[in-house]
Amino acid sequence: MKVLLYTEFYKAFKKSGLGKAINHQKKALEENNIEYTTKLSDDYDIVHINYYGPKSYALAKKAKRLGKKVIYHAHSTEEDFRNSFILSNKIAPAFKKWLIKCYSMGDHILTPTPYSKHLLEGYGIKKPITDISNGIDVDFFKHNDKLGDEFRKKYNFKDDDKIIMAVGLWIERKGILDFVELAKRMPEYKFIWFGSSPLSLSPKKIKDAVNTKLSNLLFAGYVEPSVLRGAYSGCDLYLFPTLEETEGIPIMEACAAKIPALIRDIPVFDEWLTDGVNVYKAKTLDEFEDKIKKILNGNLPNLTCEGYKAAEKRDIKKVGKKLISIYEDVLNEK
C-alpha cells in the first residue's frame, strides 16, 4: 500500500492547525511503516486529500478515473468558516455547497470529531464518514520546567506573574475579542496570544483588538512548536475562548503539558472534555472572568492529571493505528 498525501496550498497552511494535522499524518505513516509520497507524479494506491481547493477536486476526479481510492479529510465546515475573514459570512452558503461537492468525491470521508461528523451528515453527504482525531504528540508537549523558565525570561515575565495564554489565528471565531476584553477586565494578570493571520483580510474590530495597547497584553505572533511547548509549561492557565472548532489542537497540547485549561462551552468539546473533570468551561465573559480568578487563586481543584489522560487518548501513535486501519478497509473495498 502506498499513500499520496496531498494538501493544496500547504505552504500557506503549514503554520496552522491544518499544517500540524498533516505532519501528524506523515508521522503516523512512518511509525507504521506505510509507504507514502507527497509528489503528484508518483504512483499510489490511495490519495488522502486534506484541502478543498480546485486542484484538490481535480485530483480526486483524476484518481477516480484511474481507479484509485480517494480519502477526503474534512477539516473544514461552513460553521467554522463563518466569523473568520471579511465577507466570510456572506459567502458561507456557497462555501458549504462547494465543500459538499469536494467531500462527496471521496470513497471515504475523515473528519476530526463526532461533532464535525454530525455536521457533515446534516449536509446530506451520503459517503461513509469516520471521525478520527488529528492527534497530538504527547511526548513532545509534556511539561518541562526548564523550557517554562526560558519562556518567562524570553518574554520578560516575572516569577510571580500569573500568565494566561491562548493560541489561534487573529479571527473572531477564535474568541480574540473576548480575550482582549478579559485582559482589560483583569489587569492583575498577564495575557499572551500566540498565532497570527493577515490583518488585511480582517474586519476593523479584529484590527482594533490586535492593536490594543495594554501593559498586560501581548500578541506574540507565530512561534515554532519548540517555543510554544515552553509557553505551555511556563504559563499558569490556557484560555481557549473559541466560538467554533472542528477539533481544536491547542487544547490537546495544553492538556498534554498538564496546564490548567478554561475553554468555551461549545458542542465540539462535549465528547471528550467535561467541565469540572478534566477542564473548566464557561460561556459568557462574566463566567470566564469568575473562573479565571478562581483557578489562578487556587479556589478550584487542579484537573491537569485528568486533562493529560484525555490528551493521551489522542496520542499520535493511537491515531496512527486507526488511520492505517481505515486505509486498509478502503483499499479492500470493491
Side-chain angles (χ1 to χ4, degrees):
M1 173 171 59
K2 186 174 181 179
V3 179
L4 168 60
L5 289 179
Y6 181 69
T7 307
E8 191 176 350
F9 304 123
Y10 173 70
K11 288 184 178 179
F13 295 109
K14 66 180 181 180
K15 296 179 179 180
S16 69
L18 176 57
K20 290 181 179 180
I22 283 108
N23 289 337
H24 291 167
Q25 290 167 15
K26 292 177 180 177
K27 188 169 184 178
L29 291 169
E30 290 165 1
E31 291 186 349
N32 287 274
N33 298 313
I34 301 298
E35 188 178 4
Y36 77 91
T37 181
T38 58
K39 296 180 180 178
L40 292 173
S41 58
D42 287 350
D43 193 23
Y44 60 90
D45 302 298
I46 299 174
V47 58
H48 184 158
I49 299 175
N50 280 288
Y51 194 62
Y52 48 76
K55 291 183 180 179
S56 301
Y57 180 75
L59 175 60
K61 290 186 70 174
K62 180 181 178 181
K64 291 277 193 178
R65 289 197 304 269
L66 295 173
K68 309 291 188 180
K69 295 293 186 178
V70 177
I71 288 181
Y72 225 115
H73 212 129
H75 295 284
S76 298
T77 64
E78 178 197 11
E79 286 74 10
D80 76 359
F81 180 75
R82 290 180 177 274
N83 297 313
S84 52
F85 302 105
I86 293 173
L87 300 179
S88 62
N89 289 3
K90 289 186 177 180
I91 65 176
F95 178 72
K96 177 181 176 180
K97 291 180 180 179
W98 174 248
L99 287 182
I100 293 170
K101 185 175 182 178
C102 289
Y103 294 161
S104 296
M105 289 297 296
D107 295 294
H108 202 104
I109 299 169
L110 303 182
T111 195
T113 56
Y115 169 73
S116 54
K117 177 183 177 180
H118 174 72
L119 291 179
L120 296 176
E121 289 172 340
Y123 293 177
I125 296 174
K126 303 302 182 184
K127 298 298 179 72
I129 305 172
T130 299
D131 62 271
I132 176 171
S133 173
N134 285 316
I136 168 74
D137 189 340
V138 170
D139 289 337
F140 181 82
F141 284 101
K142 278 184 178 177
H143 193 90
N144 186 308
D145 287 334
K146 181 174 180 292
L147 292 177
D149 291 341
E150 290 175 359
F151 155 72
R152 283 180 169 258
K153 289 177 182 177
K154 177 180 176 65
Y155 291 96
N156 297 314
F157 291 122
K158 299 176 183 176
D159 290 343
D160 60 350
D161 281 339
K162 296 292 185 181
I163 304 169
I164 299 167
M165 71 170 282
V167 178
L169 300 175
W170 291 342
I171 56 178
E172 185 175 357
R173 175 175 64 81
K174 292 294 184 180
I176 192 170
L177 298 179
D178 283 352
F179 189 82
V180 171
E181 177 59 30
L182 288 166
K184 291 177 180 178
R185 290 188 180 196
M186 293 180 283
E188 67 272 29
Y189 302 133
K190 303 295 185 181
F191 289 74
I192 183 168
W193 181 290
F194 291 100
S196 63
S197 51
L199 282 181
S200 59
L201 302 177
S202 303
K204 183 177 183 300
K205 57 185 174 182
I206 300 301
K207 293 176 182 176
D208 290 344
V210 173
N211 289 316
T212 299
K213 303 300 180 185
L214 294 173
S215 61
N216 67 326
L217 174 64
L218 174 64
F219 285 99
Y222 172 80
V223 295
E224 293 297 329
S226 57
V227 177
L228 197 58
R229 66 175 176 172
Y232 286 124
S233 292
C235 75
D236 298 283
L237 176 66
Y238 182 74
L239 179 61
F240 204 27
T242 180
L243 296 158
E244 181 69 30
E245 295 288 329
T246 52
E247 183 171 36
I249 289 178
I251 184 58
M252 292 192 284
E253 295 171 346
C255 286
K258 290 188 176 180
I259 295 303
L262 175 60
I263 65 177
R264 193 179 296 277
D265 190 357
I266 54 177
V268 69
F269 299 130
D270 289 347
E271 159 264 338
W272 71 290
L273 294 172
T274 304
D275 185 30
V277 175
N278 42 31
V279 297
Y280 288 103
K281 296 183 179 183
K283 290 184 178 179
T284 67
L285 269 169
D286 288 343
E287 287 177 0
F288 274 112
E289 181 179 3
D290 178 61
K291 289 194 173 180
I292 286 171
K293 290 179 177 178
K294 287 178 177 176
I295 292 169
L296 294 181
N297 290 332
N299 296 327
L300 286 174
N302 187 305
L303 308 177
T304 55
C305 287
E306 292 302 314
Y308 180 79
K309 291 177 184 178
E312 271 192 316
K313 292 178 181 177
R314 282 155 180 76
D315 186 75
I316 190 60
K317 298 180 185 67
K318 295 177 181 178
V319 172
K321 287 180 171 59
K322 184 176 180 181
L323 182 61
I324 302 310
S325 177
I326 293 169
Y327 283 157
E328 291 173 344
D329 289 345
V330 171
L331 193 59
N332 293 325
E333 288 175 356
K334 293 183 179 180

